[in-house]
Structure formats: C-alpha cells, structure tokens
Amino acid sequence: MLDKTNNKALSFIFITVLIDVIGLGIIIPVLPKLIEELIGAGLSEASRYNAWLAVAYGIMQFVFSPILGGLSDRYGRRPVLLLSLFGLGADYIFMALAPSIAWLFVGRIIAGICGASFSTASAYIADISTPEKRAQNFGLIGAAFGVGFIIGPTIGGLCGVWGPRIPFFVAAGFSLLNFIYGYFVLPESLDEGHRRKFDWKRANPIGSLLNLKRYPVIAGLVITYLLLFMAGKSVESTWTFYTMLKFNWNSVWVGISLSVVGILVAVVQGGLIRVIIPKLGQKRSVFTGLFLYVGSLILFAFATKGWMMFAFLVPYCLGGIAGPALQGIMSGQVPLNEQGELQGALTSLMSVTTVLGPLMMNNMFYYFTREGTPFYFPGAAFIAGAILMFIGILFAVKSLSNYHHSVINPEKK
C-alpha cells in the first residue's frame, strides 16, 4: 500500500515539475524579442541585457534557495512548493505587462526568489523514497526537464507569432494551473515528527554549505556537483554558437538538436536510469557518468561533421546518470529534517554556475574564435568543461573512497 501511495506522490511531483519546466520553456523563443522591444535596439545589444537578467535570477536563487529549503524543513514541502508555483505565475504576468526593461529585471528577481520548486521537489522525493530507490527517483526531475524543454519552446514558438508577450501569459496560465493542481492534489510528504526549527544561521548559502561539512562524504561531493554543473555550461552556453559557426547550422537544425537532447534526457532519466543505477550501484554510476561526460565533451570539441554532434549526444546524455547518483548518495547522508536544507544548498550551487558558467564559457568561445585570435579553436569551451569534469572526478574519488552506502538514521535530529 505504501509503494502505491509513494508512486502516486511521485507521479504528482513529476507532473508538477513538468508543467513548471514547460512554463520556463515557453518564454525561451520570445524573450530576446521582448528585450529588443523594450530597449529599442538590436539582437546583439539584447543579448547583453539577457545575460544580466540571468545574473539577477541566479543571484536571487543563490540567496533564497537555502531560506526556502529551511522553511520547507520547518513547515513542510507542500506550502513552499505552492508558494513557489504561485510566485512564478504572478511573475510571468508581471513580465508580460512590462513597460520597460527595469520591469523585466524586477520580474527575474521575483522568479529567482520564488524559484524553489525544483529543490523542494527534490526534497519531496527524498522524503518518500527508500535509500535504494532515491537516486532513480531523482531522475524523474531530469526526465521532466527533458520532456518539458521539448514541449515548452514549441508552444512558445507557436504562440510567439501573435507577439512576444503572449507566451508569457500562456506560461502564467501553466504555472497557475500547476498551483491549483498542487493545492487540490499534492499531499504533504514531511510529517510533523521529522521537522526542525528554522535557523537563520543555516538559512543562507554559506551557512547551509558549512553545515554540510558535518557529513564527510558530502563535503567533497558538493565540489564535484558544482564542477559538474559548471562544466555543463560549456554545452548550454555555446552549443548554438558553436554549431552555427563550425557546421553552418540554422535555427531549424539547432532546434532539432535541442529536441534530440530533450528526448535522450527523458529516456535516460525517466527509464534507463532505473536499470543502470541498480545494476552498477550509486558509486560506480557516479564515475561512469562523469567519465562519459569527459569523453563526450572532448568529442564535441573535435567534431568535424554536423552529424557527429548528434552521435556524440548519446554518450553525453548517458552521462546524466551521474547527477541523480550523486544526489542519491548525498541525500542518504542527511536526516529527513535536513533534506530541504541539503537541496536548497545544492540549488544555490547550481545558481552560482548559472551566473559564472555563461560568463566563462561564452567569453572563452569569443576569445578563441574572434578575429586575430592567437589560436583558432571553437571547441575551447568544451575542453574547459572536460577539464572541470575531470577535476570533479578527483574530488569524488577522495570523497567516496570509504563510502559503503551508509545511510543516516532518518530520525536523527
């Protein structure tokens, strides 16, 4: 009976994250045009504003994720998740009505503050999962991302023909629908007995990370987790520019490639991960995934034909087993009443890479492709990503050297 209840709750969380990601994906194709409209300048100038909008979002998420994570440990996952969903819906409406670029910045700040849906969803999954199934269940969030980023941009592109503001209203509809769905359907996962007092000393990015030092296995893996996402920005930030420059791809081929990524991520995170991680174990899954990432990034950097990029996406997306396995190991080291704090801290780390990653990788791409560059190499960012990922492997080796699937007593306070 418990398995059926947990499976039902997992379905709720998958749908909640899926709808949330669809909302995010809807605005991707039209945000550049809305920025152009508001600043009265071209696409090149709009890209600069877009980068700073991402920085504003990332900083707010970095600061507020631990706060909301701590609140979810104190008051439960459900109210924090609902607050986040409602805040995102209101933010999309705010941005749709924006009369100036300043309004967009305020909107992204609001979104960053309310952007706890993914970390709270991860904490929810940790609450209802057994240690053996936790890593596989974390993969559901990755699967939701894959499917959502296929559906969302497609809807956004179609709605965008009626103007760059319409998709924001559609995204608001999805988020508010998600809020209503969660309000009536989503049960609470953290009972009163497993909650802890809210502590401002721990409800900040530095405090939440320092608190994790109490758990030896987590300390080094946090660095691996940070480097994994930083390395991933080499693909996220330069894929479009790299493929257009080196293989003369147009927006259609870029869109097709991103759809392929979404399909592969959904297959790996939603299906294969449930076979691979139990067979390999979490520890071996971490190393297998990280080495697949390293190899794939090197292959991207030296690809000579466009079709190769599609072929190399297969091992790259298979590398996605590393993230859920890492989360599963780290989650197994902390009690239930600290899962929100852990996931909030991890989300803060992800937000750091959102701020620093594009600045590093895009500037590296520019330096090695600009006119007069001392060494022309469009794939430089991919090599940088591979190096960061390899350093992450070294930290993982040290942290996991004495790991034997030990799990903290969930009752521990």
Side-chain angles (χ1 to χ4, degrees):
M1 184 68 182
L2 182 60
D3 284 341
K4 288 184 178 180
T5 302
N6 286 353
N7 288 337
K8 189 176 180 181
L10 284 172
S11 299
F12 293 159
I13 284 295
F14 175 80
I15 294 171
T16 296
V17 175
L18 174 62
I19 296 175
D20 209 5
V21 175
I22 289 173
L24 290 171
I26 283 172
I27 70 172
I28 289 175
V30 295
L31 184 58
K33 288 296 181 183
L34 181 58
I35 296 172
E36 279 187 286
E37 177 185 305
L38 293 174
I39 65 174
L43 197 59
S44 179
E45 184 69 12
S47 67
R48 292 177 62 240
Y49 279 90
N50 188 52
W52 286 111
L53 285 168
V55 169
Y57 177 88
I59 291 174
M60 290 300 104
Q61 192 174 60
F62 174 73
V63 172
F64 282 91
S65 287
I67 295 175
L68 293 174
L71 289 173
S72 78
D73 284 338
R74 172 64 184 89
Y75 298 105
R77 317 301 183 203
R78 187 174 182 273
V80 174
L81 192 57
L82 292 178
L83 174 66
S84 174
L85 296 174
F86 184 82
L88 282 176
D91 172 60
Y92 288 136
I93 294 174
F94 187 89
M95 294 177 71
L97 300 173
S100 67
I101 190 67
W103 276 51
L104 282 191
F105 275 97
V106 174
R108 296 322 287 158
I109 288 171
I110 294 172
I113 293 172
C114 295
S117 56
F118 304 124
S119 59
T120 308
S122 295
Y124 193 109
I125 287 174
D127 292 340
I128 64 174
S129 301
T130 61
E132 294 76 21
K133 291 187 176 182
R134 196 169 280 161
Q136 300 99 289
N137 289 342
F138 280 137
L140 286 176
I141 293 180
F145 264 86
V147 175
F149 274 109
I150 297 171
I151 299 172
T154 302
I155 295 174
L158 293 173
C159 295
V161 299
W162 291 295
R165 296 175 184 268
I166 299 300
F168 286 86
F169 286 112
V170 177
F174 270 94
S175 291
L176 294 176
L177 178 66
N178 207 2
F179 168 79
I180 295 170
Y181 170 81
Y183 183 84
F184 287 104
V185 177
L186 191 67
E188 178 55 65
S189 63
L190 187 67
D191 59 66
E192 292 282 350
H194 288 116
R195 298 182 187 182
R196 65 177 176 86
K197 290 183 178 180
F198 182 80
D199 185 357
W200 279 107
K201 291 181 180 179
R202 292 165 60 174
N204 64 81
I206 306 302
S208 62
L209 290 171
L210 288 176
N211 185 57
L212 296 179
K213 289 174 66 178
R214 294 185 296 147
Y215 307 104
V217 172
I218 292 180
L221 291 184
V222 161
I223 299 176
T224 300
Y225 196 78
L226 173 67
L227 293 173
L228 187 157
F229 279 93
M230 181 68 81
K233 297 302 176 185
S234 65
V235 177
E236 294 176 28
S237 301
T238 68
W239 179 270
T240 301
F241 299 97
Y242 178 79
T243 53
M244 286 183 169
L245 178 69
K246 193 167 185 179
F247 307 116
N248 293 316
W249 283 8
N250 56 23
S251 59
V252 173
W253 278 107
V254 171
I256 291 172
S257 70
L258 294 178
S259 294
V260 170
V261 170
I263 293 169
L264 289 173
V265 167
V267 169
V268 172
Q269 301 287 333
L272 293 181
I273 208 170
R274 296 179 171 276
V275 178
I276 296 173
I277 290 182
K279 282 189 175 294
L280 295 181
Q282 293 182 353
K283 183 176 176 179
R284 289 174 63 189
S285 295
V286 167
F287 292 118
T288 301
L290 292 177
F291 275 113
L292 282 169
Y293 273 141
V294 171
S296 302
L297 288 170
I298 294 172
L299 290 173
F300 285 151
F302 292 102
T304 56
K305 302 289 184 182
W307 64 264
M308 294 181 178
M309 300 299 285
F310 285 94
F312 299 155
L313 279 174
V314 175
Y316 179 78
C317 291
L318 278 172
I321 65 174
L326 275 171
Q327 274 188 289
I329 291 172
M330 290 189 285
S331 178
Q333 302 300 302
V334 303
L336 287 179
N337 61 5
E338 294 183 19
Q339 291 294 334
E341 180 180 38
L342 170 64
Q343 300 304 331
L346 295 180
T347 301
S348 283
L349 288 176
M350 289 173 59
S351 66
V352 169
T353 67
T354 300
V355 174
L356 299 181
L359 293 175
M360 174 184 174
M361 299 305 178
N362 283 120
N363 279 304
M364 187 171 292
F365 178 84
Y366 167 74
Y367 179 81
F368 285 99
T369 58
R370 66 184 174 89
E371 187 176 345
T373 180
F375 182 67
Y376 182 81
F377 184 42
F382 295 136
I383 297 299
I387 293 171
L388 290 175
M389 201 76 76
F390 185 76
I391 295 172
I393 291 174
L394 298 180
F395 277 98
V397 168
K398 183 178 179 181
S399 296
L400 295 175
S401 57
N402 297 316
Y403 172 73
H404 298 293
H405 196 65
S406 58
V407 179
I408 293 291
N409 182 353
E411 302 295 333
K412 180 180 176 182
K413 300 288 183 181

